[in-house]
Amino acid sequence: MLESSIARLLGELSLESVDPREPVQVHRYPKPWRLLGAGNYAAVFSHPDYSHYAVKVYAPGRPGLREEAEVYRRLGRHPSYSECYYEGHGFLILKRLDGVTIYDCIRRGIPITDQAIQDIDDGLEYARSRGLHPHDVHGKNVMVWQGRGLIVDVSDFLKQEDCSMWADFKKIYYRLYRPVASRKVFPVPRIVLELMRKGYQRWRRWKK
């Protein structure tokens, strides 16, 4: 049963948030659960026997679970987003989305399509039409699946302040990525991407 598998995951899982600006650190989790990814609030896991589900577990002390559940309630069903099936104590059960994050597409040399960018734009506009404010939309929070774009982290969509992350990424995409990728797509080492990410974070803090 999914419930007993989740109970085992929660009982044996060890994760913590060391720096709120960095992904949470996952120290231990039971097999055959698989770590799909980690963000600044939580880590996401899947189980091979329940491949249509993803379990998002918030790190101790990190806020936002109820807010994220509310975002999914407002979004309802839309092709750009997951769905929330259940809100538990410290975790959410979500519809699992397949794909590769744009960050990993660049790291692995997987082409990013204009259609994926347009899908993400459309999904963000839909969220705004539902009274939400897309926030923290960047290369690790959006994915490409069969050439289409998906938005996989909506945890900050209730925040009211403006966020330029996606607009900033699109400038890089159209001015740099597209001209280069039109000739050749090649992998970019993780260390280069991390240097760029940290440099962008410092630039954002300076701009404020």
Side-chain angles (χ1 to χ4, degrees):
M1 296 289 292
L2 177 61
E3 293 85 355
S4 60
S5 296
I6 292 176
R8 181 175 174 228
L9 168 67
L10 298 175
E12 299 183 26
L13 175 63
S14 173
L15 78 164
E16 64 174 335
S17 174
V18 177
D19 183 338
R21 293 171 298 186
E22 296 293 334
V24 301
Q25 295 184 11
V26 180
H27 302 298
R28 184 181 69 252
Y29 59 93
K31 303 299 183 184
W33 284 95
R34 176 189 169 204
L35 175 65
L36 296 180
N40 293 0
Y41 295 92
V44 182
F45 301 87
S46 69
H47 192 289
D49 293 338
Y50 309 101
S51 59
H52 296 298
Y53 300 96
V55 179
K56 184 169 185 176
V57 184
Y58 272 67
R62 296 299 286 154
L65 184 144
R66 290 184 177 177
E67 289 82 357
E68 182 168 1
E70 170 62 16
V71 170
Y72 278 116
R73 186 190 68 78
R74 293 194 197 182
L75 287 172
R77 291 187 176 182
H78 187 276
S80 293
Y81 296 97
S82 177
E83 299 173 40
C84 182
Y85 296 131
Y86 180 78
E87 176 188 348
H89 181 67
F91 72 96
L92 301 173
I93 301 178
L94 306 174
K95 174 185 175 182
R96 180 178 172 181
L97 298 177
D98 293 314
V100 180
T101 66
I102 281 183
Y103 177 94
D104 281 331
C105 284
I106 297 171
R107 183 178 64 84
R108 294 160 55 183
I110 299 172
I112 302 166
T113 64
D114 287 354
Q115 181 63 61
I117 302 299
Q118 184 61 54
D119 289 340
I120 294 165
D121 275 342
D122 292 345
L124 297 177
E125 188 58 36
Y126 169 77
R128 294 184 188 99
S129 76
R130 306 294 290 180
L132 299 167
H133 299 81
H135 193 95
D136 200 32
V137 181
H138 53 75
K140 290 187 175 183
N141 286 344
V142 293
M143 293 198 309
V144 178
W145 172 244
Q146 295 181 343
R148 306 304 298 258
L150 302 169
I151 302 161
V152 295
D153 191 340
V154 301
S155 55
D156 286 327
F157 277 30
L158 288 181
K159 291 186 175 181
Q160 296 298 307
E161 64 266 26
D162 293 333
C163 179
S164 65
M165 282 188 174
W166 180 243
D168 292 339
F169 173 81
K170 285 198 301 178
K171 290 176 184 176
I172 296 172
Y173 174 82
Y174 286 113
R175 295 176 185 176
L176 179 61
Y177 178 88
R178 247 179 118 206
V180 174
S182 65
R183 297 190 294 272
K184 181 177 177 61
V185 178
F186 54 87
V188 178
R190 185 189 297 273
I191 188 171
V192 174
L193 291 177
E194 286 301 301
L195 287 172
M196 293 173 64
R197 183 177 71 87
K198 291 181 183 297
Y200 176 69
Q201 288 178 339
R202 287 194 293 269
W203 176 77
R204 281 176 56 84
R205 290 196 294 271
W206 173 82
K207 193 173 68 167
K208 290 180 180 180

